[in-house]
Structure formats: structure tokens, C-alpha cells
Amino acid sequence: MDWTPESVVVSAPDGAEATIEVPFPPLPPGPEPLTILFGHVLVPRRVGALLVRKGGYAVGVFVGTELISSKVGSAYVQGKTKAGGWSQQRYARRRANQTDQAYAEAADVAATLLLPELERLEALVGGGDRVGVHAVLGDPRLERLRPLLREPVLPTADPRLRILQAFPEQFRAVRIGLNGLA
């Protein structure tokens, strides 16, 4: 067995290896990395969540798996059109403006919910559209939240309250990579 603060590698006699990513690294040092990892995974952490898609957002704060504060919203963003020429360009500009307004609204909510929690948050986890999450975090008010963002931005369905409530299943998951199978 080999381990770092970010991962634990377990080898089998047939040469197979399992690499276990440490959620919310670093893994504290100790003589039994797997035992420490199990305890580390079960710690209830205060985590911010930012789920963004073009037409909606969900922002929340979790302690463990419990959602303690949240706000969910949606905004109309026009779909693509088959019109050509000037009309297509006009609709593209309209979509871009609508998207920018939706991201600005999500940034307002993130500032309201997450900034007061900043000193207590262990991490910020993004979900939905990676470009959207980074666009929202591009708001100057949210600059202090950016270092807390854990990559990757996790895939989610449209941001709704039920999706946000189920989000801990994704961000608390322990990822295991298998390789070297004989």
C-alpha cells in the first residue's frame, strides 16, 4: 500500500491496483491509511454548492449531507433558431445577453448565501455546466470563493431543489480508479 495526502493506492497479488482519491484532501498522516481514509470520508464538512446551467442555478450550504440554506432560481434563455443571416445573429446576441443576466443573478445569490459562510466553508463544489460555474465565479465579489472550488465540476441535471438536495451523493463520493488487471 502506498499513499499520499491526495490518494491511497492498494495493490493485489495479481498486479491489479486500485487508486482511491481522497475526497477533501489532505488525508491526515497515520500508520493505517485505509482506516484513516474511512474516518476522513465520514467527517461532516461544511461545503458550498453552486449548480449552474444556462437557464437556472441552485446555491446551497451543506453540513454533511444536510442542506442548511439554499436558493434555487431559473431564467429564460432562448433556444437556438434555424433562421439564417441577420436573424440568427440577432438571436445569438439575445441568447448571450439572457445567459449573462442569468449568470449575474446566480452570482448575486452566491454572494448572498456563500460569502457569509466563507470562513467556515471547507470547499465549494460546482455542478452542471463548467463554463457557467466559472462564469458565475468570475464575478469580482466571489473572488475569495474561487480557491475553494474543487475540480471537476460535477455533471448534474437542471438545477432544481431536489437535484441540490441529492448533490452530496456526488460530491461526497469516493472515486476509485482500477488499472493493472491481469
Side-chain angles (χ1 to χ4, degrees), residues 85-109:
W86 292 105
S87 293
Q88 186 174 14
Q89 293 170 8
R90 185 177 70 240
Y91 288 127
R93 283 191 305 274
R94 184 178 296 160
R95 267 193 317 279
N97 288 337
Q98 290 168 342
T99 299
D100 290 345
Q101 288 174 344
Y103 291 165
E105 186 178 326
D108 289 343
V109 171

Side-chain angles (χ1 to χ4, degrees), residues 51-58 73-75 102-103 106 159-160:
L51 282 57
V52 179
R53 289 209 173 261
K54 278 190 179 180
Y57 62 86
S74 63
Y103 291 165
R160 305 273 188 258

Side-chain angles (χ1 to χ4, degrees), residues 7 14 29 32 36 45 58 61 65 92 97 124 146 160 170 174 182:
S7 66
D14 67 355
E32 293 292 327
I36 294 169
R45 302 173 193 291
V61 176
T65 59
N97 288 337
L124 174 64
R146 289 180 212 143
R160 305 273 188 258
Q170 281 187 277
V174 177

Side-chain angles (χ1 to χ4, degrees), residues 5 12 17 19 49 62 75 83 90 93 102 107 110 129 138 156-157 167-168 179:
E17 282 187 349
T19 303
F62 290 89
R90 185 177 70 240
R93 283 191 305 274
D129 178 32
T156 62
F167 197 48
N179 58 20

